[in-house]
Amino acid sequence: MILAIETSCDDTCAAVVDGSRILSNVISSQDAAHEEFGGIVPEVASRHHLELTVPIVKSALDEAGISLDDVGAVAVTAGPGLIGALLVGLSTAKAIAASRRLPLIPVDHLQGHVAANFLAPDPLEPPFLCLVASGGHTMLAGVRDHERHEILGQTLDDAAGEAFDKVARLLGLGFPGGPALQRLAEDGDPEAFELPVAMARDPGLDFSFSGLKTALVYLCRDLGPDGVAERRADLAAGFQAAAVGQLTAKLKRALKRGEWDAVALGGGVAANGPLREAVAALCKERGVRLKLVPLKLCTDNAAMIASAARYAPRLPYPEYLSYDAFASSRPPVPS
Ligand code: KG4
Ligand code: ZN
């Protein structure tokens, strides 16, 4: 059994996984703590993780009905993410593992999103194409085995969820803005404004969302506060259609290029209804299987970290005591 801890951003998460079976998957959201700031404040996130990590680990063990005696290895997100937040999870994981002389398994957060698809009850076997769109990342990954993924394309600037959050803020919606923006867009006309689907003609598989965000900023400036208040739903619908358009256009291009017969979605933006519908329609058109994991496994959670850990190198005690977290790039695979 693997005990996993995930604290790369603003959610404090712990889980117990036995093979591909989830025994517990506890998530403590910090949304309320960050809402007043309109976005995640890294130092606030770290301080909350400090208070929450140990109780959340206890809840995960209790919910699984096990004690530390039953745990065979401790897995933890080592990066990428907010460095202070990562260090809280990594230090806790090291302390638990060292106290029992258990091995430690450092996990790449993005491989965690990919590995959410390997969990029961309906594990997806590689090869497949995985689109991960969250508040921190946007990537299109080619998954050929359980151990790793190849990044086929990624965002050149803002992440998709980050763009949803920033535009939501522009329209006076709370944080996180994605779900509220989707609700507002339901009453709007996606074609009321002409918004660019960025990178549509770019032959590569990378994404860009900052141009679309800037287009919205200028539109709002030209409309003025009263005009924005009157057209909020149209603005939200236009933005959402352009963002979903870009994500699906790149997915379509990747499907045309490779011999993929399955697609998986991950990250918080995978909760977006119109994105799910557009990707489902695309997969149907191309005769490709679509795997949509439950929402709790799409957003940040520790079960996906435990799932990735099953296929990652284990560091023996005491080797991992000097292992460090990484904020943005991947470290060499530990030997
Ligand atoms: O994966 P996640 O929980 O955390 C990160 O790793 O960032 O993703 C959170 C992101 C936020 O930017 C949020 O606005 C976005 O996912 N999101 C959505 C929706 N639900 C969550 N974006 C668009 N539509 C949604 N329904
Ligand atoms: Zn994530």
Side-chain angles (χ1 to χ4, degrees):
M1 271 185 263
I2 296 179
L3 167 69
I5 298 173
E6 147 67 45
T7 61
S8 66
C9 194
D10 63 331
D11 292 325
T12 315
C13 317
V16 177
V17 164
D18 183 8
S20 67
R21 221 160 45 92
I22 302 172
L23 300 188
S24 65
N25 190 18
V26 183
I27 301 168
S28 174
S29 163
Q30 295 184 11
D31 282 352
H34 299 275
E35 189 171 10
E36 64 173 302
F37 305 107
I40 295 162
V41 183
E43 188 55 26
V44 171
S46 309
R47 284 165 194 254
H48 275 83
H49 286 312
L50 265 181
E51 286 174 12
L52 290 167
T53 306
V54 170
I56 293 297
V57 166
K58 281 195 176 132
S59 304
L61 293 170
D62 288 349
E63 244 179 63
I66 63 160
S67 75
L68 276 179
D69 293 341
D70 306 307
V71 171
V74 181
V76 63
T77 307
L82 303 172
I83 195 69
L86 288 163
L87 285 170
V88 176
L90 181 60
S91 309
T92 311
K94 280 182 186 177
I96 295 171
S99 70
R100 303 264 162 167
R101 303 295 189 259
L102 291 170
L104 185 88
I105 313 174
V107 170
D108 176 277
H109 179 79
L110 290 165
Q111 181 62 18
H113 277 297
V114 167
N117 296 289
F118 305 150
L119 288 162
D122 178 28
L124 180 64
E125 292 300 316
F128 60 88
L129 202 54
C130 187
L131 174 64
V132 178
S134 73
H137 337 274
T138 306
M139 77 160 184
L140 200 46
V143 184
R144 298 205 179 271
D145 54 46
H146 290 101
E147 284 80 21
R148 62 192 69 80
H149 60 266
E150 181 194 355
I151 297 178
L152 305 174
Q154 57 191 322
T155 186
L156 301 175
D157 38 59
D158 290 357
E162 185 182 358
F164 268 91
D165 292 338
K166 286 178 176 168
V167 170
R169 196 172 175 194
L170 206 60
L171 300 179
L173 302 168
F175 174 83
L181 192 143
Q182 183 189 326
R183 276 194 300 277
L184 179 61
E186 279 163 20
D187 300 325
D189 172 6
E191 285 167 17
F193 296 101
E194 215 171 293
L195 286 161
V197 174
M199 315 283 285
R201 274 186 225 104
D202 174 84
L205 295 174
D206 286 332
F207 303 88
S208 167
F209 291 96
S210 77
L212 175 59
K213 179 192 68 189
T214 308
L216 259 292
V217 170
Y218 286 133
L219 253 179
C220 290
R221 192 193 59 185
D222 295 346
L223 285 167
D226 292 343
V228 171
E230 209 174 293
R231 307 292 301 278
R232 277 167 89 227
D234 288 343
L235 289 163
F239 165 78
Q240 180 174 253
V244 168
Q246 186 187 158
L247 290 166
T248 34
K250 294 291 173 174
L251 188 58
K252 185 171 185 171
R253 185 161 297 157
L255 279 172
K256 275 188 184 162
R257 274 192 200 169
E259 297 288 299
W260 305 102
D261 47 24
V263 165
L265 281 187
V269 183
N272 185 267
L275 176 64
R276 286 179 164 237
E277 284 160 26
V279 171
L282 173 64
C283 288
K284 195 169 173 207
E285 177 194 310
R286 300 201 63 87
V288 165
R289 177 177 172 206
L290 173 61
K291 160 95 176 168
L292 292 171
V293 295
L295 282 184
K296 200 176 168 188
L297 295 177
C298 275
T299 52
D300 288 351
N301 67 88
M304 71 182 195
I305 301 304
S307 179
R310 292 179 64 206
Y311 307 98
R314 293 174 171 224
L315 304 185
Y317 174 85
E319 202 178 285
Y320 49 76
L321 293 177
S322 58
Y323 190 89
D324 213 353
F326 55 99
S328 52
S329 59
R330 272 193 224 212
V333 176
S335 53

